[in-house]
Structures are given as C-alpha cells and as structure tokens.
Short mmCIF file of all heavy atoms in Angstrom, two decimals:
data_model
loop_
_atom_site.label_atom_id
_atom_site.label_comp_id
_atom_site.label_asym_id
_atom_site.label_seq_id
_atom_site.Cartn_x
_atom_site.Cartn_y
_atom_site.Cartn_z
N MET N 1 -3.57 -26.65 -5.26
CA MET N 1 -2.75 -25.68 -4.58
C MET N 1 -1.94 -24.94 -5.64
O MET N 1 -1.24 -25.57 -6.43
CB MET N 1 -1.85 -26.39 -3.58
CG MET N 1 -0.99 -25.48 -2.76
SD MET N 1 -0.09 -26.37 -1.46
CE MET N 1 -1.39 -26.59 -0.26
N LYS N 2 -2.06 -23.63 -5.66
CA LYS N 2 -1.37 -22.83 -6.68
C LYS N 2 0.09 -22.58 -6.31
O LYS N 2 0.40 -22.33 -5.15
CB LYS N 2 -2.07 -21.49 -6.85
CG LYS N 2 -3.43 -21.60 -7.48
CD LYS N 2 -4.00 -20.25 -7.81
CE LYS N 2 -5.37 -20.41 -8.35
NZ LYS N 2 -5.46 -20.24 -9.75
N ILE N 3 0.95 -22.69 -7.31
CA ILE N 3 2.36 -22.37 -7.18
C ILE N 3 2.75 -21.49 -8.37
O ILE N 3 1.96 -21.34 -9.30
CB ILE N 3 3.25 -23.63 -7.12
CG1 ILE N 3 3.15 -24.43 -8.42
CG2 ILE N 3 2.91 -24.48 -5.92
CD1 ILE N 3 4.17 -25.54 -8.54
N VAL N 4 3.94 -20.94 -8.33
CA VAL N 4 4.42 -20.15 -9.46
C VAL N 4 4.49 -21.04 -10.69
O VAL N 4 5.14 -22.09 -10.66
CB VAL N 4 5.80 -19.53 -9.15
CG1 VAL N 4 6.36 -18.82 -10.38
CG2 VAL N 4 5.73 -18.59 -7.97
N GLY N 5 3.76 -20.68 -11.72
CA GLY N 5 3.81 -21.43 -12.97
C GLY N 5 2.84 -22.60 -13.06
O GLY N 5 2.95 -23.42 -13.96
N GLY N 6 1.90 -22.71 -12.14
CA GLY N 6 0.94 -23.80 -12.25
C GLY N 6 0.26 -24.15 -10.95
O GLY N 6 0.12 -23.32 -10.06
N GLU N 7 -0.15 -25.40 -10.86
CA GLU N 7 -0.83 -25.90 -9.67
C GLU N 7 -0.32 -27.29 -9.34
O GLU N 7 0.10 -28.03 -10.23
CB GLU N 7 -2.34 -25.98 -9.90
CG GLU N 7 -3.04 -24.66 -9.84
CD GLU N 7 -4.55 -24.82 -9.74
OE1 GLU N 7 -5.01 -25.58 -8.87
OE2 GLU N 7 -5.24 -24.18 -10.53
N LEU N 8 -0.41 -27.65 -8.07
CA LEU N 8 -0.05 -28.99 -7.63
C LEU N 8 -1.29 -29.86 -7.64
O LEU N 8 -2.36 -29.44 -7.19
CB LEU N 8 0.52 -28.97 -6.20
CG LEU N 8 1.82 -28.23 -5.98
CD1 LEU N 8 2.18 -28.24 -4.50
CD2 LEU N 8 2.94 -28.83 -6.79
N THR N 9 -1.16 -31.07 -8.14
CA THR N 9 -2.26 -32.03 -8.07
C THR N 9 -2.30 -32.63 -6.67
O THR N 9 -1.35 -32.50 -5.89
CB THR N 9 -2.07 -33.17 -9.10
OG1 THR N 9 -0.91 -33.93 -8.72
CG2 THR N 9 -1.91 -32.63 -10.51
N GLN N 10 -3.37 -33.31 -6.36
CA GLN N 10 -3.48 -33.94 -5.04
C GLN N 10 -2.38 -34.98 -4.84
O GLN N 10 -1.82 -35.09 -3.76
CB GLN N 10 -4.87 -34.57 -4.86
CG GLN N 10 -5.12 -35.08 -3.45
CD GLN N 10 -5.05 -33.98 -2.39
OE1 GLN N 10 -5.50 -32.86 -2.61
NE2 GLN N 10 -4.46 -34.29 -1.26
N ALA N 11 -2.07 -35.72 -5.88
CA ALA N 11 -1.00 -36.73 -5.78
C ALA N 11 0.35 -36.08 -5.51
O ALA N 11 1.16 -36.60 -4.73
CB ALA N 11 -0.94 -37.55 -7.06
N GLN N 12 0.61 -34.93 -6.13
CA GLN N 12 1.87 -34.22 -5.90
C GLN N 12 1.93 -33.66 -4.48
O GLN N 12 2.97 -33.70 -3.84
CB GLN N 12 2.05 -33.11 -6.94
CG GLN N 12 2.26 -33.66 -8.34
CD GLN N 12 2.13 -32.62 -9.42
OE1 GLN N 12 1.43 -31.61 -9.26
NE2 GLN N 12 2.80 -32.85 -10.55
N ILE N 13 0.80 -33.15 -4.00
CA ILE N 13 0.74 -32.65 -2.63
C ILE N 13 1.04 -33.79 -1.66
O ILE N 13 1.82 -33.63 -0.72
CB ILE N 13 -0.64 -32.02 -2.33
CG1 ILE N 13 -0.81 -30.73 -3.15
CG2 ILE N 13 -0.80 -31.74 -0.85
CD1 ILE N 13 -2.22 -30.16 -3.13
N GLU N 14 0.43 -34.94 -1.89
CA GLU N 14 0.66 -36.10 -1.02
C GLU N 14 2.13 -36.52 -1.03
O GLU N 14 2.68 -36.89 0.00
CB GLU N 14 -0.23 -37.27 -1.44
CG GLU N 14 -1.71 -37.04 -1.18
CD GLU N 14 -2.04 -36.81 0.29
OE1 GLU N 14 -1.42 -37.46 1.16
OE2 GLU N 14 -2.91 -35.98 0.55
N ALA N 15 2.77 -36.46 -2.19
CA ALA N 15 4.20 -36.80 -2.28
C ALA N 15 5.02 -35.84 -1.43
O ALA N 15 5.94 -36.26 -0.72
CB ALA N 15 4.66 -36.77 -3.74
N GLY N 16 4.70 -34.57 -1.50
CA GLY N 16 5.41 -33.58 -0.68
C GLY N 16 5.17 -33.77 0.80
O GLY N 16 6.10 -33.69 1.61
N LEU N 17 3.93 -34.05 1.17
CA LEU N 17 3.61 -34.27 2.58
C LEU N 17 4.27 -35.53 3.13
O LEU N 17 4.69 -35.57 4.29
CB LEU N 17 2.09 -34.34 2.78
CG LEU N 17 1.31 -33.06 2.50
CD1 LEU N 17 -0.19 -33.31 2.64
CD2 LEU N 17 1.76 -31.92 3.40
N THR N 18 4.40 -36.54 2.29
CA THR N 18 5.08 -37.77 2.71
C THR N 18 6.53 -37.49 3.03
O THR N 18 7.09 -38.08 3.96
CB THR N 18 4.95 -38.85 1.61
OG1 THR N 18 3.56 -39.12 1.40
CG2 THR N 18 5.66 -40.12 1.99
N ALA N 19 7.15 -36.59 2.30
CA ALA N 19 8.55 -36.23 2.54
C ALA N 19 8.72 -35.44 3.84
O ALA N 19 9.82 -35.31 4.36
CB ALA N 19 9.10 -35.41 1.37
N MET N 20 7.62 -34.93 4.39
CA MET N 20 7.66 -34.12 5.60
C MET N 20 7.45 -34.94 6.87
O MET N 20 6.86 -34.48 7.83
CB MET N 20 6.61 -33.01 5.53
CG MET N 20 6.84 -32.01 4.47
SD MET N 20 5.59 -30.71 4.60
CE MET N 20 5.85 -29.86 3.07
N ARG N 21 7.93 -36.14 6.89
CA ARG N 21 7.81 -37.00 8.07
C ARG N 21 9.07 -36.87 8.92
O ARG N 21 10.18 -36.81 8.38
CB ARG N 21 7.62 -38.45 7.66
CG ARG N 21 6.42 -38.67 6.77
CD ARG N 21 5.14 -38.73 7.59
NE ARG N 21 3.96 -38.50 6.78
CZ ARG N 21 3.18 -39.44 6.32
NH1 ARG N 21 3.45 -40.68 6.56
NH2 ARG N 21 2.13 -39.12 5.60
N GLY N 22 8.92 -36.84 10.22
CA GLY N 22 10.07 -36.74 11.12
C GLY N 22 10.78 -35.41 10.93
O GLY N 22 10.17 -34.38 10.76
N ARG N 23 12.10 -35.45 10.93
CA ARG N 23 12.92 -34.25 10.70
C ARG N 23 13.32 -34.22 9.23
O ARG N 23 13.74 -35.23 8.69
CB ARG N 23 14.16 -34.27 11.59
CG ARG N 23 14.91 -32.96 11.58
CD ARG N 23 15.98 -32.96 12.62
NE ARG N 23 15.37 -32.66 13.92
CZ ARG N 23 16.04 -32.22 14.96
NH1 ARG N 23 17.33 -32.05 14.89
NH2 ARG N 23 15.42 -31.96 16.08
N PHE N 24 13.18 -33.08 8.59
CA PHE N 24 13.45 -32.98 7.16
C PHE N 24 13.92 -31.57 6.81
O PHE N 24 13.82 -30.65 7.61
CB PHE N 24 12.19 -33.32 6.34
CG PHE N 24 11.05 -32.35 6.57
CD1 PHE N 24 10.88 -31.25 5.74
CD2 PHE N 24 10.17 -32.53 7.62
CE1 PHE N 24 9.84 -30.36 5.95
CE2 PHE N 24 9.13 -31.64 7.84
CZ PHE N 24 8.96 -30.56 7.00
N ASN N 25 14.45 -31.43 5.60
CA ASN N 25 14.81 -30.11 5.09
C ASN N 25 14.05 -29.87 3.79
O ASN N 25 13.43 -30.77 3.23
CB ASN N 25 16.32 -29.95 4.91
CG ASN N 25 16.91 -30.96 3.96
OD1 ASN N 25 16.25 -31.47 3.08
ND2 ASN N 25 18.18 -31.27 4.16
N ALA N 26 14.12 -28.64 3.31
CA ALA N 26 13.37 -28.28 2.11
C ALA N 26 13.85 -29.07 0.90
O ALA N 26 13.06 -29.38 0.01
CB ALA N 26 13.51 -26.78 1.85
N THR N 27 15.12 -29.43 0.87
CA THR N 27 15.66 -30.18 -0.26
C THR N 27 14.96 -31.53 -0.40
O THR N 27 14.69 -31.98 -1.52
CB THR N 27 17.18 -30.39 -0.10
OG1 THR N 27 17.79 -29.11 0.06
CG2 THR N 27 17.78 -31.09 -1.28
N LYS N 28 14.65 -32.17 0.70
CA LYS N 28 13.95 -33.46 0.67
C LYS N 28 12.56 -33.30 0.05
O LYS N 28 12.13 -34.13 -0.74
CB LYS N 28 13.86 -34.02 2.09
CG LYS N 28 13.21 -35.38 2.16
CD LYS N 28 13.22 -35.92 3.58
CE LYS N 28 12.55 -37.27 3.66
NZ LYS N 28 12.46 -37.74 5.05
N VAL N 29 11.89 -32.21 0.40
CA VAL N 29 10.55 -31.96 -0.15
C VAL N 29 10.66 -31.64 -1.64
O VAL N 29 9.86 -32.13 -2.45
CB VAL N 29 9.85 -30.81 0.61
CG1 VAL N 29 8.47 -30.55 0.04
CG2 VAL N 29 9.76 -31.14 2.10
N MET N 30 11.65 -30.83 -2.01
CA MET N 30 11.86 -30.51 -3.43
C MET N 30 12.10 -31.76 -4.26
O MET N 30 11.55 -31.92 -5.35
CB MET N 30 13.05 -29.56 -3.60
CG MET N 30 12.78 -28.16 -3.18
SD MET N 30 14.23 -27.15 -3.50
CE MET N 30 14.32 -26.25 -1.98
N LYS N 31 12.92 -32.67 -3.74
CA LYS N 31 13.22 -33.91 -4.46
C LYS N 31 11.96 -34.75 -4.65
O LYS N 31 11.72 -35.28 -5.73
CB LYS N 31 14.28 -34.71 -3.70
CG LYS N 31 14.69 -35.97 -4.41
CD LYS N 31 15.77 -36.72 -3.69
CE LYS N 31 16.12 -37.98 -4.48
NZ LYS N 31 16.86 -38.93 -3.71
N ALA N 32 11.14 -34.84 -3.60
CA ALA N 32 9.89 -35.61 -3.70
C ALA N 32 8.96 -35.01 -4.74
O ALA N 32 8.33 -35.73 -5.52
CB ALA N 32 9.21 -35.68 -2.34
N LEU N 33 8.86 -33.68 -4.77
CA LEU N 33 7.99 -33.02 -5.74
C LEU N 33 8.54 -33.18 -7.16
O LEU N 33 7.77 -33.38 -8.10
CB LEU N 33 7.83 -31.54 -5.39
CG LEU N 33 7.03 -31.25 -4.13
CD1 LEU N 33 7.02 -29.76 -3.83
CD2 LEU N 33 5.62 -31.79 -4.22
N ASP N 34 9.85 -33.10 -7.30
CA ASP N 34 10.46 -33.29 -8.61
C ASP N 34 10.15 -34.69 -9.13
O ASP N 34 9.77 -34.88 -10.29
CB ASP N 34 11.97 -33.08 -8.51
CG ASP N 34 12.68 -33.18 -9.85
OD1 ASP N 34 12.10 -32.79 -10.88
OD2 ASP N 34 13.84 -33.65 -9.87
N GLU N 35 10.28 -35.69 -8.27
CA GLU N 35 9.98 -37.08 -8.66
C GLU N 35 8.51 -37.28 -8.96
O GLU N 35 8.14 -38.18 -9.73
CB GLU N 35 10.44 -38.04 -7.56
CG GLU N 35 11.95 -38.11 -7.45
CD GLU N 35 12.43 -38.92 -6.25
OE1 GLU N 35 11.60 -39.37 -5.43
OE2 GLU N 35 13.66 -39.07 -6.12
N ALA N 36 7.64 -36.42 -8.37
CA ALA N 36 6.20 -36.51 -8.63
C ALA N 36 5.80 -35.74 -9.88
O ALA N 36 4.62 -35.67 -10.21
CB ALA N 36 5.43 -35.98 -7.42
N GLY N 37 6.79 -35.13 -10.57
CA GLY N 37 6.50 -34.47 -11.83
C GLY N 37 6.21 -32.99 -11.76
O GLY N 37 5.72 -32.40 -12.72
N VAL N 38 6.51 -32.35 -10.63
CA VAL N 38 6.29 -30.91 -10.50
C VAL N 38 7.41 -30.18 -11.23
O VAL N 38 8.58 -30.39 -10.96
CB VAL N 38 6.25 -30.48 -9.01
CG1 VAL N 38 6.07 -28.97 -8.89
CG2 VAL N 38 5.15 -31.22 -8.27
N THR N 39 7.04 -29.31 -12.17
CA THR N 39 8.02 -28.58 -12.95
C THR N 39 8.77 -27.56 -12.08
O THR N 39 9.99 -27.51 -12.10
CB THR N 39 7.34 -27.84 -14.12
OG1 THR N 39 6.56 -28.78 -14.84
CG2 THR N 39 8.36 -27.23 -15.04
N ASN N 40 8.04 -26.76 -11.33
CA ASN N 40 8.65 -25.76 -10.45
C ASN N 40 8.62 -26.30 -9.02
O ASN N 40 7.85 -25.84 -8.19
CB ASN N 40 7.92 -24.42 -10.57
CG ASN N 40 8.67 -23.30 -9.90
OD1 ASN N 40 9.62 -23.52 -9.17
ND2 ASN N 40 8.23 -22.07 -10.13
N TYR N 41 9.46 -27.27 -8.75
CA TYR N 41 9.44 -27.94 -7.44
C TYR N 41 9.95 -27.04 -6.31
O TYR N 41 9.60 -27.26 -5.16
CB TYR N 41 10.21 -29.26 -7.48
CG TYR N 41 11.62 -29.16 -8.01
CD1 TYR N 41 12.67 -28.80 -7.18
CD2 TYR N 41 11.90 -29.42 -9.35
CE1 TYR N 41 13.96 -28.71 -7.67
CE2 TYR N 41 13.17 -29.34 -9.84
CZ TYR N 41 14.21 -28.98 -9.00
OH TYR N 41 15.48 -28.87 -9.47
N VAL N 42 10.73 -26.02 -6.63
CA VAL N 42 11.20 -25.09 -5.58
C VAL N 42 10.00 -24.31 -5.04
O VAL N 42 9.79 -24.22 -3.83
CB VAL N 42 12.29 -24.14 -6.12
CG1 VAL N 42 12.66 -23.10 -5.08
CG2 VAL N 42 13.52 -24.92 -6.55
N SER N 43 9.21 -23.74 -5.93
CA SER N 43 8.01 -23.02 -5.52
C SER N 43 7.02 -23.95 -4.82
O SER N 43 6.41 -23.59 -3.81
CB SER N 43 7.33 -22.38 -6.73
OG SER N 43 6.11 -21.78 -6.36
N GLY N 44 6.88 -25.16 -5.34
CA GLY N 44 5.98 -26.13 -4.72
C GLY N 44 6.37 -26.46 -3.30
O GLY N 44 5.52 -26.50 -2.41
N ALA N 45 7.65 -26.68 -3.06
CA ALA N 45 8.12 -26.99 -1.71
C ALA N 45 7.90 -25.81 -0.78
O ALA N 45 7.45 -25.98 0.36
CB ALA N 45 9.61 -27.36 -1.74
N GLU N 46 8.17 -24.61 -1.28
CA GLU N 46 7.97 -23.42 -0.45
C GLU N 46 6.51 -23.26 -0.05
O GLU N 46 6.20 -23.02 1.12
CB GLU N 46 8.43 -22.19 -1.24
CG GLU N 46 8.34 -20.89 -0.47
CD GLU N 46 8.83 -19.71 -1.29
OE1 GLU N 46 9.85 -19.84 -1.97
OE2 GLU N 46 8.17 -18.66 -1.23
N VAL N 47 5.62 -23.42 -1.00
CA VAL N 47 4.19 -23.28 -0.73
C VAL N 47 3.72 -24.35 0.26
O VAL N 47 2.99 -24.05 1.21
CB VAL N 47 3.37 -23.34 -2.04
CG1 VAL N 47 1.89 -23.50 -1.78
CG2 VAL N 47 3.63 -22.11 -2.88
N LEU N 48 4.14 -25.59 0.07
CA LEU N 48 3.73 -26.67 0.98
C LEU N 48 4.26 -26.45 2.39
O LEU N 48 3.54 -26.62 3.38
CB LEU N 48 4.23 -28.02 0.46
CG LEU N 48 3.36 -28.74 -0.53
CD1 LEU N 48 4.04 -30.02 -0.99
CD2 LEU N 48 2.01 -29.06 0.06
N ILE N 49 5.53 -26.07 2.51
CA ILE N 49 6.13 -25.87 3.83
C ILE N 49 5.45 -24.71 4.55
O ILE N 49 5.09 -24.83 5.73
CB ILE N 49 7.65 -25.66 3.71
CG1 ILE N 49 8.32 -26.98 3.31
CG2 ILE N 49 8.24 -25.13 5.02
CD1 ILE N 49 9.79 -26.86 2.95
N VAL N 50 5.23 -23.60 3.86
CA VAL N 50 4.56 -22.45 4.48
C VAL N 50 3.15 -22.84 4.92
O VAL N 50 2.72 -22.48 6.02
CB VAL N 50 4.55 -21.24 3.53
CG1 VAL N 50 3.62 -20.15 4.04
CG2 VAL N 50 5.95 -20.69 3.36
N SER N 51 2.45 -23.59 4.08
CA SER N 51 1.09 -24.02 4.42
C SER N 51 1.09 -24.91 5.66
O SER N 51 0.26 -24.73 6.57
CB SER N 51 0.49 -24.78 3.24
OG SER N 51 -0.77 -25.32 3.58
N GLU N 52 2.01 -25.86 5.72
CA GLU N 52 2.07 -26.76 6.88
C GLU N 52 2.51 -26.03 8.15
O GLU N 52 2.03 -26.35 9.24
CB GLU N 52 2.99 -27.94 6.58
CG GLU N 52 2.42 -28.90 5.54
CD GLU N 52 1.10 -29.51 5.96
OE1 GLU N 52 1.07 -30.27 6.94
OE2 GLU N 52 0.07 -29.21 5.30
N LEU N 53 3.38 -25.05 8.02
CA LEU N 53 3.76 -24.23 9.18
C LEU N 53 2.55 -23.46 9.69
O LEU N 53 2.29 -23.41 10.89
CB LEU N 53 4.88 -23.25 8.82
CG LEU N 53 6.29 -23.80 8.73
CD1 LEU N 53 7.23 -22.78 8.09
CD2 LEU N 53 6.81 -24.21 10.11
N LYS N 54 1.80 -22.87 8.77
CA LYS N 54 0.63 -22.07 9.12
C LYS N 54 -0.43 -22.93 9.82
O LYS N 54 -1.07 -22.49 10.76
CB LYS N 54 0.03 -21.44 7.87
CG LYS N 54 -1.13 -20.52 8.14
CD LYS N 54 -1.78 -20.01 6.86
CE LYS N 54 -0.89 -19.04 6.15
NZ LYS N 54 -1.55 -18.44 4.97
N HIS N 55 -0.58 -24.17 9.36
CA HIS N 55 -1.57 -25.07 9.95
C HIS N 55 -1.07 -25.74 11.24
O HIS N 55 -1.81 -26.49 11.88
CB HIS N 55 -1.99 -26.14 8.94
CG HIS N 55 -2.86 -25.61 7.87
ND1 HIS N 55 -2.37 -25.30 6.61
CD2 HIS N 55 -4.17 -25.29 7.84
CE1 HIS N 55 -3.36 -24.83 5.87
NE2 HIS N 55 -4.46 -24.80 6.59
N GLY N 56 0.19 -25.51 11.59
CA GLY N 56 0.74 -26.07 12.82
C GLY N 56 1.12 -27.54 12.74
O GLY N 56 1.29 -28.19 13.77
N ASN N 57 1.26 -28.07 11.55
CA ASN N 57 1.60 -29.48 11.39
C ASN N 57 3.09 -29.76 11.47
O ASN N 57 3.49 -30.90 11.72
CB ASN N 57 1.04 -30.02 10.06
CG ASN N 57 -0.46 -29.93 10.01
OD1 ASN N 57 -1.14 -30.07 11.02
ND2 ASN N 57 -1.00 -29.69 8.84
N ILE N 58 3.90 -28.74 11.20
CA ILE N 58 5.35 -28.87 11.30
C ILE N 58 5.88 -27.66 12.07
O ILE N 58 5.18 -26.66 12.23
CB ILE N 58 6.03 -28.95 9.91
CG1 ILE N 58 5.79 -27.69 9.09
CG2 ILE N 58 5.59 -30.20 9.17
CD1 ILE N 58 6.55 -27.63 7.77
N LYS N 59 7.11 -27.77 12.54
CA LYS N 59 7.75 -26.63 13.20
C LYS N 59 9.16 -26.48 12.67
O LYS N 59 9.79 -27.44 12.22
CB LYS N 59 7.76 -26.80 14.71
CG LYS N 59 8.54 -28.00 15.21
CD LYS N 59 8.44 -28.14 16.70
CE LYS N 59 9.19 -29.40 17.15
NZ LYS N 59 9.10 -29.58 18.59
N ARG N 60 9.65 -25.24 12.71
CA ARG N 60 10.99 -24.95 12.23
C ARG N 60 11.97 -25.21 13.37
O ARG N 60 11.81 -24.72 14.48
CB ARG N 60 11.08 -23.49 11.79
CG ARG N 60 12.42 -23.11 11.23
CD ARG N 60 12.42 -21.71 10.66
NE ARG N 60 11.74 -21.74 9.36
CZ ARG N 60 10.79 -20.88 9.01
NH1 ARG N 60 10.41 -19.93 9.82
NH2 ARG N 60 10.22 -20.99 7.82
N ILE N 61 12.99 -26.04 13.12
CA ILE N 61 14.01 -26.36 14.10
C ILE N 61 15.17 -25.37 13.97
O ILE N 61 15.65 -24.83 14.95
CB ILE N 61 14.54 -27.81 13.89
CG1 ILE N 61 13.41 -28.82 14.00
CG2 ILE N 61 15.65 -28.13 14.87
CD1 ILE N 61 12.72 -28.86 15.33
N ALA N 62 15.63 -25.18 12.77
CA ALA N 62 16.72 -24.25 12.46
C ALA N 62 16.46 -23.77 11.03
O ALA N 62 15.54 -24.24 10.37
CB ALA N 62 18.07 -24.93 12.57
N ARG N 63 17.29 -22.89 10.58
CA ARG N 63 17.10 -22.38 9.22
C ARG N 63 17.14 -23.52 8.20
O ARG N 63 18.17 -24.19 8.04
CB ARG N 63 18.18 -21.36 8.90
CG ARG N 63 17.98 -20.70 7.59
CD ARG N 63 18.97 -19.61 7.37
NE ARG N 63 18.74 -19.03 6.06
CZ ARG N 63 19.35 -17.98 5.62
NH1 ARG N 63 20.24 -17.38 6.37
NH2 ARG N 63 19.10 -17.52 4.43
N GLY N 64 16.01 -23.75 7.55
CA GLY N 64 15.93 -24.79 6.53
C GLY N 64 15.70 -26.19 7.05
O GLY N 64 15.61 -27.13 6.28
N ILE N 65 15.59 -26.35 8.36
CA ILE N 65 15.34 -27.68 8.94
C ILE N 65 14.02 -27.63 9.70
O ILE N 65 13.78 -26.73 10.50
CB ILE N 65 16.48 -28.10 9.88
CG1 ILE N 65 17.80 -28.14 9.10
CG2 ILE N 65 16.18 -29.47 10.51
CD1 ILE N 65 19.01 -28.39 9.98
N TYR N 66 13.19 -28.60 9.42
CA TYR N 66 11.83 -28.64 10.00
C TYR N 66 11.60 -30.01 10.63
O TYR N 66 12.33 -30.96 10.38
CB TYR N 66 10.80 -28.41 8.91
CG TYR N 66 11.01 -27.14 8.14
CD1 TYR N 66 11.80 -27.13 7.00
CD2 TYR N 66 10.46 -25.95 8.57
CE1 TYR N 66 12.02 -25.96 6.29
CE2 TYR N 66 10.67 -24.77 7.88
CZ TYR N 66 11.46 -24.77 6.74
OH TYR N 66 11.68 -23.61 6.06
N GLU N 67 10.52 -30.07 11.44
CA GLU N 67 10.18 -31.33 12.07
C GLU N 67 8.67 -31.44 12.14
O GLU N 67 7.98 -30.45 12.45
CB GLU N 67 10.78 -31.39 13.47
CG GLU N 67 10.58 -32.71 14.17
CD GLU N 67 11.36 -32.75 15.48
OE1 GLU N 67 10.90 -32.11 16.45
OE2 GLU N 67 12.42 -33.38 15.49
N GLN N 68 8.19 -32.63 11.87
CA GLN N 68 6.75 -32.90 11.95
C GLN N 68 6.35 -32.87 13.42
O GLN N 68 7.03 -33.44 14.27
CB GLN N 68 6.47 -34.27 11.36
CG GLN N 68 5.03 -34.69 11.39
CD GLN N 68 4.86 -36.09 10.86
OE1 GLN N 68 5.75 -36.92 10.92
NE2 GLN N 68 3.68 -36.37 10.33
N LYS N 69 5.25 -32.19 13.73
CA LYS N 69 4.74 -32.17 15.10
C LYS N 69 4.01 -33.48 15.36
O LYS N 69 3.35 -34.03 14.47
CB LYS N 69 3.80 -31.01 15.32
CG LYS N 69 4.50 -29.68 15.42
CD LYS N 69 3.53 -28.61 15.83
CE LYS N 69 4.24 -27.31 16.06
NZ LYS N 69 3.29 -26.25 16.46
N THR N 70 4.14 -33.99 16.56
CA THR N 70 3.47 -35.25 16.89
C THR N 70 2.31 -35.03 17.79
O THR N 70 2.09 -34.03 18.36
CB THR N 70 4.45 -36.21 17.59
OG1 THR N 70 5.03 -35.56 18.70
CG2 THR N 70 5.50 -36.68 16.64
#
C-alpha cells in the first residue's frame, strides 16, 4: 500500500488494522504504525482509514472518531 514517502508492508498494514478494533481514533492507528516501524505514520494512518472507510469496514462516528462495523 503506497503512502507519502514509501509503502506499507503487510505486517505494518496488519498492525494498523489491529488498532482499528471497536471504537478508535486516528491517533491510535498512528501509534500502532509508528510502533510497527512506519516512518510517515500520519500518511499511513490516513491511507488505511480512507481505505477501510471506502471498503465499508469502519464508519465515522464523529470527527476523528471511527468504529469497526460488525
């Protein structure tokens, strides 16, 4: 998955998706990506969240707050 300044590995994507369980905010996803070694974790979180919204796997609750669809 391409992000600004590079690409996410499958392991990094999985780390981001794991952070998207239940109710979460973008900061939680950014922290997970940072811990997984993503240099530009802000761009990575944005790309992952937009992708999951587009695929219908998560929904926006409020500005910056999301929830996994069940």
Side-chain angles (χ1 to χ4, degrees):
M1 183 173 282
K2 291 188 184 256
I3 63 170
V4 174
E7 284 194 50
L8 296 177
T9 66
Q10 188 60 40
Q12 292 167 334
I13 292 170
E14 292 300 323
L17 294 176
T18 300
M20 295 185 192
R21 303 279 161 99
R23 190 171 280 199
F24 64 93
N25 59 27
T27 304
K28 183 177 179 185
V29 180
M30 286 182 225
K31 182 177 180 196
L33 291 176
D34 183 34
E35 291 172 356
V38 178
T39 307
N40 191 348
Y41 53 85
V42 174
S43 175
E46 183 179 318
V47 168
L48 273 177
I49 289 171
V50 168
S51 174
E52 291 300 294
L53 282 168
K54 184 186 289 185
H55 287 100
N57 298 327
I58 62 174
K59 62 183 177 181
R60 182 174 284 132
I61 302 298
R63 185 174 178 173
I65 301 173
Y66 305 90
E67 185 172 76
Q68 179 183 28
K69 286 188 175 180
T70 54

